[in-house]
Amino acid sequence: MLRTEDRVVLLRALYVTMVRMRGVEETIADLLEAKEIGCPTHLYTGQEAVAAGVCAALRADDYVFGGHRSHGHYLAKGGDLNALMAELYGKKTGCSGGRGGSMHLVAPEVGVLGTAPLVAGTIPIAVGAALASALRGDGRVTVAFFGDGAAEEGVFHESMNLAAHRKLPVIFACENNSYASHMHLLERRARDNIVASAEAHGMPGRVLDGNDVLAVLSAATEAVRDARSGAGPTLLECRTYRWRGHVGPALDFDVGVRRKDELCEWRGKDPVTRLAEHLLACGMTREDLDGVRRDVDAEVHKAVTFARESAPPEVESLTEHVYRSASERQG
Ligand SMILES: Cc1ncc(C[n+]2csc(CCOP(=O)(O)OP(=O)(O)O)c2C)c(N)n1
């Protein structure tokens, strides 16, 4: 049980993380609209509580993997903001050297082993990382973040089967935002029952309010404890909603799939506002909260300047990292 002061410090840190994610995503939305950023970008606005809550339960040396909508995972795990922004601008100083763009983020120094847009593609790789940890006995936990659409891929089930059978230290963190591209979950599956896969594969499964960072943190803390102690994997199905459309800054009202009242209802459950209200009830002042927002705005502004002023990779370097060099093969 945390002392009150420690609890407020923890909650404030979660708030900073979530305001940061929100600030970064909404700035990127503006930059996409202004056509200053050109790479395909999937925004995380509205889902901040999932990445913040899960990553707050992890150690710095634990691993995370993500998909195409992963700026939030990268930031929550401690990825460098300047390097994220530079990556979106395709600059040499980007976290993937400007070669990956929004959908291919890596920061091994903080345990972000990779994000990739092949739907469900990083789930088995996360299980592989957990298998490596189990074999090495390094005590690390791995989290695979993925969407509800990814839960319909066969490899999701193969990965869960292996992880449960070998009791691997991995957490399957499903961000169920109801949509896969432009299709609602109930148009794609007979039942809204992703969590049932846990029981079928022999692991605990929990359905969470994915907009309540404290609920996510509490469930993730238990899942991490189980994984680290050798009890095996957990599936966390976090119910949430993305405010922006599938890709880019648009809201997708014009493609016939999202009702305006649905978005309006979810905006009423804004995870950032909910945490702010909780902090106010714990004694933080409006001034403190405004200060966090101001600091984040300044930090994001600096990251944009850093990205704009960074150099692109040299043209002659374009084929680097495509094939392993002879020296890498020998090493
Ligand atoms: C194997 C594969 N099939 C199809 C696609 C095209 N595609 C890209 S994102 C996406 C929807 C993913 O939905 P979900 O997993 O729920 O994630 P969300 O976009 O909701 O975060 C699809 C079908 C792909 N990238 N990879």
Side-chain angles (χ1 to χ4, degrees):
M1 193 64 186
L2 283 179
R3 286 180 310 149
T4 313
E5 309 87 276
D6 295 339
R7 189 173 154 76
V8 173
V9 170
L10 170 73
L11 294 180
R12 190 182 186 280
L14 282 173
Y15 186 68
V16 172
T17 304
M18 287 167 67
V19 171
R20 232 168 146 237
M21 284 186 229
R22 177 68 57 88
V24 172
E25 292 300 68
E26 293 303 280
T27 301
I28 292 171
D30 292 343
L31 293 165
L32 286 163
E33 248 153 21
K35 305 221 178 312
E36 194 170 322
I37 289 177
C39 72
T41 303
H42 304 74
L43 296 166
Y44 196 64
T45 307
Q47 302 188 195
E48 296 87 350
V50 183
V54 171
C55 290
L58 296 175
R59 284 193 328 220
D61 65 342
D62 288 331
Y63 295 139
V64 303
F65 288 83
H68 51 285
R69 195 180 306 286
S70 273
H71 303 166
H73 310 134
Y74 170 92
L75 290 172
K77 192 63 180 54
D80 182 75
L81 173 52
N82 284 354
L84 171 66
M85 204 57 87
E87 190 56 42
L88 269 81
Y89 276 78
K91 299 296 181 70
K92 203 158 74 173
T93 50
C95 60
S96 309
R99 292 153 197 274
S102 162
M103 296 189 279
H104 303 92
L105 307 173
V106 257
E109 68 284 2
V110 291
V112 181
L113 293 199
T115 74
L118 189 70
V119 171
T122 54
I123 301 176
I125 306 176
V127 171
L131 176 60
S133 286
L135 293 174
R136 287 193 200 110
D138 64 16
R140 286 181 163 124
V141 170
T142 297
V143 176
F145 287 103
F146 54 92
D148 46 284
E152 283 144 26
E153 297 283 352
V155 74
F156 166 64
H157 297 279
E158 295 168 44
S159 302
M160 287 182 89
N161 177 57
L162 179 68
H165 186 251
R166 301 283 295 256
K167 292 204 181 310
L168 298 179
V170 59
I171 292 164
F172 297 92
C174 176
E175 302 193 55
N176 183 352
N177 61 20
S178 291
Y179 289 93
S181 304
H182 303 110
M183 214 179 227
H184 191 273
L185 185 123
L186 290 175
E187 292 175 282
R188 307 176 338 245
R189 46 192 296 149
R191 292 184 61 199
D192 182 353
N193 63 346
I194 289 173
V195 74
S197 306
E199 166 69 23
H201 289 292
M203 68 179 73
R206 305 264 311 263
V207 180
L208 311 173
D209 177 345
N211 279 24
D212 177 351
V213 69
L214 299 180
V216 176
L217 173 62
S218 154
T221 303
E222 277 179 32
V224 169
R225 186 201 56 210
D226 287 352
R228 224 185 290 287
S229 68
T234 299
L235 170 65
L236 300 177
E237 183 192 337
C238 309
R239 312 291 293 226
T240 184
Y241 199 76
R242 61 170 154 76
W243 288 13
R244 299 273 175 181
H246 170 62
V247 59
L251 296 176
D252 278 3
F253 292 149
D254 53 337
V255 288
V257 288
R258 274 158 65 107
R259 294 175 8 245
K260 283 191 183 153
D261 51 349
E262 189 181 72
L263 175 59
C264 191
E265 186 190 323
W266 279 93
R267 276 179 181 267
K269 303 182 206 167
D270 179 358
V272 181
T273 308
R274 279 168 75 178
L275 181 57
E277 278 160 7
H278 191 74
L279 277 163
L280 289 172
C282 290
M284 222 171 134
T285 63
R286 286 247 173 241
E287 257 182 7
D288 296 333
L289 297 180
D290 290 347
V292 170
R293 284 178 190 273
R294 269 196 308 277
D295 290 350
V296 165
D297 283 349
E299 193 195 8
V300 175
H301 184 76
K302 266 171 67 184
V304 173
T305 305
F306 172 81
R308 282 182 181 142
E309 290 175 354
S310 291
E314 288 79 23
V315 172
E316 316 76 71
S317 77
L318 278 181
T319 55
E320 282 173 12
H321 315 299
V322 175
Y323 299 103
R324 285 172 77 200
S325 65
S327 61
E328 279 169 333
R329 278 200 296 275
Q330 277 154 17

